[in-house]
Amino acid sequence: SYDLIQPPSVSVSPGQTASITCSGDKLGDKSACWYQQKPGQSPVLIIHEDKKRPSGIPERFSGSNSGNTATLTISGAQAMDEADYYCQACDRSSLWVFGGGTKVTVL
Amino acid sequence: EVQLVESGGGLAQPGGSLRLSCAASGFTFSFFWMHWVRQAPGKGLVWVSRVNSDGTDTSYADSVKGRLIISRDNAKNTLYLQLNSLTAEDTAVYFCVREAFQGHFDYWGQGTQITVSS
């Protein structure tokens, strides 16, 4: 099976930049996606195909993917960005596996 | 507006069965692959199963293979998940999810809770 590893938690001060990594074997050869989930809510797609933002997702969210690591960057973090973030190998050969999730705290 | 509305969750006995449904609207259901993803209390997202657009091909996570059956009725715009031989490890919120053509999960339902307990 294919595994994706994320740090359990990341802290960031308001207005600063947070980076969340997602590591997997040759992940850069696949398409990486990112989802945001706030407590009690369903996940929301925030990045697909490594770096594309769906309509309505703020520009402060950006993504990259190379080698074995995909990265989600939140530039100018806001209190509303506190949430759990999950990466995914959006690739049918990887059986849509998710990373373990990263809790982002803005304080 | 795309909507995915799950139903059928609830309390189930160990060893029992449940059938989840997901009513889809706002898009041409028969064009899209569909998935179930679950989330145990306080835990992360886990992909469970998927079905292709016409229902002829399915796949499952190893942890549920042989106990869960995914299906769809394109005439009714509905996705199903039959869960058998339930154990406490199946306790989770189950999300119905649409896969976009590029492979990402672009729409999620609100989820339905299954609790397996005697």
Side-chain angles (χ1 to χ4, degrees):
Chain A
S1 64
Y2 190 75
D3 294 324
L4 294 175
I5 307 299
Q6 297 180 235
S9 62
V10 167
S11 296
V12 60
S13 300
Q16 298 304 301
T17 297
S19 294
I20 305 167
T21 57
C22 174
S23 299
D25 185 47
K26 298 180 182 178
L27 181 56
D29 292 341
K30 306 177 186 294
S31 176
C33 306
W34 291 89
Y35 304 88
Q36 178 194 66
Q37 186 181 32
K38 295 182 178 180
Q41 298 184 17
S42 302
V44 173
L45 176 72
I46 57 172
I47 295 288
H48 63 95
E49 297 172 81
D50 298 337
K51 57 185 179 181
K52 295 181 179 180
R53 278 179 291 105
S55 175
I57 301 303
E59 291 184 6
R60 64 180 179 274
F61 292 97
S62 62
S64 64
N65 185 17
S66 180
N68 294 322
T69 304
T71 302
L72 173 70
T73 301
I74 309 174
S75 303
Q78 301 182 11
M80 68 175 66
D81 299 331
E82 277 207 348
D84 294 325
Y85 292 83
Y86 295 90
C87 64
Q88 183 190 35
C90 297
D91 182 303
R92 291 177 175 176
S93 67
S94 303
L95 287 184
W96 304 278
V97 65
F98 290 95
T102 299
K103 182 178 182 62
V104 170
T105 302
V106 181
L107 47 68
Chain B
E1 178 193 6
V2 172
Q3 285 198 318
L4 299 170
V5 180
E6 302 94 335
S7 61
L11 179 64
Q13 298 273 341
S17 298
L18 275 179
R19 189 196 198 198
L20 306 183
S21 299
C22 171
S25 61
F27 65 102
T28 305
F29 182 68
S30 62
F31 283 4
F32 292 86
W33 286 30
M34 297 295 296
H35 298 252
W36 289 97
V37 173
R38 72 183 182 183
Q39 186 171 36
K43 302 296 185 181
L45 303 173
V46 176
W47 175 81
V48 172
S49 182
R50 69 87 185 164
V51 61
N52 69 347
S53 55
D54 65 6
T56 59
D57 189 59
T58 60
S59 57
Y60 301 90
D62 287 344
S63 60
V64 304
K65 204 171 291 184
R67 296 192 302 114
L68 273 58
I69 301 172
I70 190 172
S71 62
R72 65 191 297 162
D73 185 335
N74 285 346
K76 295 182 178 180
N77 291 338
T78 303
L79 175 71
Y80 302 101
L81 185 68
Q82 176 73 35
L83 301 95
N84 300 317
S85 302
L86 289 164
T87 72
E89 285 65 43
D90 295 315
T91 294
V93 174
Y94 286 74
F95 296 100
C96 166
V97 187
R98 189 182 88 165
E99 180 187 329
F101 298 132
Q102 298 86 351
H104 52 274
F105 292 177
D106 58 352
Y107 288 95
W108 297 64
Q110 85 287 353
T112 188
Q113 172 77 49
I114 291 178
T115 302
V116 181
S117 174
S118 55

